């Protein structure tokens, strides 16, 4: 079964803790970068090195816009309010972020993660336009499972790992294995920053995955989606 480890917001703890832990066990991660984050400006060479080591850099837009009208969104600045974006503005920002990512990693395609899980801009569904720009997009769900037969690759599930114990994270993997489904994880801070999972719990999850290569294929989002598309095409023959 495929396991996809994703990390949002281009945080220092990704470079300082998560990537070294992944590299030690030779596991890939998918890092969704928001271009205006300080670590992009200050630590660009480290993100480029991460891509060279096999990690995927994904699109999380430049300014991480979210819908301010929803509950607990007082922190969203007026110029980041997706409710006030036009669809054209959303598309321009996704394209600009794709260009930034290509300048970092040299790759033509990058998957996408919805900031705050919001899927509309100015009240319009963004998915039809996203399909022209990215090969897949990640959401979050209660179990993180995406069924192998599910061909909607613009709602790929992930489980929020914030504040979870090692036992809880490993249980998510095991539940997905029982269901023979892809499982995704969404992390923000790892041992620091915000919406944090402890470095110990994160390490324990990685150790569990690395210890059982016969059970788990840890892949980037782009690799996992490409594999699912090939499998679905093969089954249709």
């Amino acid at each position: 079964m495929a396991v996809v480890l994703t990390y949002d917001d281009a945080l220092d703890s990704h470079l300082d803790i998560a990537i070294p832990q992944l590299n030690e066990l030779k596991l890939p991660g998918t890092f969704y970068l928001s271009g205006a984050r300080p670590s992009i400006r200050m630590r660009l060479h480290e993100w480029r090195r991460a891509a060279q080591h096999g990690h995927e850099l994904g699109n999380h837009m430049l300014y991480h816009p979210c819908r301010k009208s929803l509950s607990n969104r007082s922190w969203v600045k007026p110029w980041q309010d997706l409710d006030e974006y036009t669809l054209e503005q959303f598309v321009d920002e996704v394209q600009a972020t794709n260009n930034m990512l290509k300048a970092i990693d040299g790759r033509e395609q990058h998957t996408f993660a919805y900031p705050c899980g919001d899927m509309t801009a100015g009240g319009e569904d963004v998915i039809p336009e996203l399909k022209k720009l990215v090969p897949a997009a990640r959401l979050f769900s209660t179990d993180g499972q995406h069924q192998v037969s599910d061909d909607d690759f613009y709602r790929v599930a992930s489980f929020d790992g914030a504040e979870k114990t090692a036992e809880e994270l490993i249980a998510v993997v095991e539940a997905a294995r029982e269901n023979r489904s892809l499982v995704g994880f969404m992390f923000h801070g790892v041992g620091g920053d915000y919406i944090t999972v402890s470095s110990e719990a994160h390490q324990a999850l990685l150790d569990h995955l690395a210890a059982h290569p016969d059970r788990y294929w840890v892949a980037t989002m782009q690799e996992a989606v490409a594999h699912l598309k090939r499998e679905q095409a093969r089954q249709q023959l």
Side-chain angles (χ1 to χ4, degrees), residues 4-70:
V4 180
L5 305 168
T6 72
Y7 305 80
D8 287 12
D9 296 356
L11 302 178
D12 285 328
S13 65
H14 299 163
L15 294 167
D16 296 335
I17 298 173
I19 289 176
Q21 289 183 344
L22 289 162
N23 287 348
E24 180 68 23
L25 295 170
K26 296 182 172 56
L27 300 176
T30 297
F31 293 84
Y32 287 110
L33 307 189
S34 293
R37 297 290 185 180
S39 82
I40 302 297
R41 181 176 67 255
M42 305 298 295
R43 307 179 70 176
L44 183 61
H45 65 289
E46 294 176 72
W47 288 114
R48 182 170 287 120
R49 186 163 64 239
Q52 291 168 348
H53 282 136
H55 302 294
E56 178 185 354
L57 306 185
N59 190 321
H60 209 36
M61 304 189 68
L62 292 176
Y63 302 113
H64 198 285
C66 297
R67 296 183 59 200
K68 190 176 179 64
S69 61
L70 301 184

Side-chain angles (χ1 to χ4, degrees), residues 5 7 17-27 164-166 169-170 187 190-191 197-211:
L5 305 168
Y7 305 80
I17 298 173
I19 289 176
Q21 289 183 344
L22 289 162
N23 287 348
E24 180 68 23
L25 295 170
K26 296 182 172 56
L27 300 176
K164 302 301 189 298
T165 66
L169 296 174
I170 291 170
F187 297 107
V190 179
V197 63
S198 72
S199 60
E200 294 81 8
H202 182 260
Q203 182 71 66
L205 172 63
L206 301 189
D207 287 341
H208 180 75
L209 296 172

Side-chain angles (χ1 to χ4, degrees), residues 78-160:
W79 51 272
Q80 292 175 302
D81 186 358
L82 264 180
D83 289 320
E84 299 300 323
Y85 269 49
T86 64
L87 189 57
E88 182 180 12
Q89 185 179 355
F90 175 89
V91 167
D92 285 348
E93 193 168 322
V94 173
Q95 289 176 321
T97 309
N98 274 344
N99 292 337
M100 178 201 76
L101 293 170
K102 183 179 178 181
I104 298 172
D105 64 16
R107 298 174 185 172
E108 293 293 334
Q109 287 196 320
H110 301 88
T111 63
F112 182 84
Y114 301 95
C116 299
D118 295 339
M119 303 171 71
T120 63
E124 294 189 72
D125 182 2
V126 301
I127 290 180
E129 293 301 321
L130 266 184
K131 288 181 176 180
K132 305 172 187 177
L133 303 170
V134 299
R138 192 218 66 200
L139 268 176
F140 46 84
S141 69
T142 56
D143 61 9
Q145 296 183 27
H146 187 91
Q147 300 302 316
V148 174
S149 59
D150 186 350
D151 63 358
D152 185 353
F153 298 112
Y154 292 85
R155 292 180 177 84
V156 180
S158 64
F159 176 82
D160 187 355

